[in-house]
Amino acid sequence: MGTPDRLIEATRELLWERGYVGTSPKAIQQQAGAGQGSMYHHFAGKPDLALAAIRRTAAQLRETTGRLFDGSGTAYERISAYLLRERDVLRGCPVGRLTMDPDVVASEELRAPVDETIGWLRGRLAEIVQEGLDQGEFSPSLVPEEVAATIVATVQGGYVLARASGSTDAFDAGARGLLSLLAPRGTSV
């Protein structure tokens, strides 16, 4: 891995752990094993590097999630795969956590890839719910955009509850509860 990639990966990890303010250039350089000159040779400064890291995090989330959404199975099965997938619940969502970072939210440029990714996620989920409606899988009273927002809110809220309690139980309960509400007739969760 080259120096720019090491710097981006170090920044991604530090942003997830510490947030923007807690991610100092010195910490990035130490974690990446890169000198100050290397950092500023490849990036204009911390905001530029943070933007590259946030974009990479967003792209990886889209790739991972997109594979689940594009997989085989019914709409319910693909939503279930997303809700029940392996994740580091107690660390939280690497993209969702950025929404709680005042410095990221205050910067239009840093916030943009976060907003775009959450919008993409909601849009893809709405498409899958619509597929389920078209196939007669879900109750016709469901509104795809509202269900998609509920799924994203359940996941992000589940992270918050899990982190607050120090246990994944609250996240798991939220996912199972939502799936029981979406379950096609005659299906058990």
Side-chain angles (χ1 to χ4, degrees):
M1 188 183 309
T3 302
D5 283 329
R6 287 196 330 269
L7 288 163
I8 291 170
E9 289 304 313
T11 304
R12 288 180 65 227
E13 190 65 29
L14 290 167
L15 285 172
W16 194 6
E17 289 175 12
R18 302 179 184 182
Y20 186 81
V21 169
T23 301
S24 69
K26 184 176 181 176
I28 294 167
Q29 293 160 22
Q30 286 177 336
Q31 184 143 335
Q36 182 177 359
S38 292
M39 181 174 155
Y40 291 103
H41 172 73
H42 296 290
F43 299 96
K46 178 180 165 181
D48 185 40
L49 181 52
L51 180 60
I54 292 168
R55 284 181 176 155
R56 184 173 292 178
T57 297
Q60 286 185 347
L61 185 136
R62 286 180 186 200
E63 180 184 328
T64 301
T65 304
R67 282 195 302 266
L68 295 171
F69 291 162
D70 295 337
S72 63
T74 65
Y76 178 82
E77 289 167 345
R78 288 180 286 149
I79 291 169
S80 179
Y82 168 67
L83 287 170
L84 301 176
R85 77 173 173 85
E86 185 75 26
R87 58 183 94 211
D88 194 348
V89 173
L90 295 178
R91 285 188 74 193
C93 175
V95 173
R97 283 189 66 177
L98 293 169
T99 65
M100 293 184 248
D101 190 312
D103 293 289
V104 171
V105 173
S107 166
E108 229 175 273
E109 191 174 32
L110 295 177
R111 187 181 64 245
V114 174
D115 184 41
E116 290 164 9
T117 300
I118 292 172
W120 172 86
L121 183 58
R122 289 177 65 177
R124 287 299 313 272
L125 284 163
E127 290 170 5
I128 293 169
V129 172
Q130 185 62 57
E131 289 175 30
L133 286 168
D134 294 345
Q135 297 299 316
E137 190 177 344
F138 296 134
S139 166
S141 64
L142 294 182
V143 178
E145 293 77 15
E146 292 175 359
V147 174
T150 301
I151 294 168
V152 173
T154 298
V155 169
Q156 295 304 317
Y159 283 126
V160 170
L161 295 174
R163 287 176 56 83
S165 69
S167 168
T168 62
D169 293 345
F171 184 97
D172 296 339
R176 285 191 312 272
L178 180 56
L179 288 170
S180 70
L181 294 172
L182 290 175
R185 293 176 183 93
T187 303
S188 61
V189 178

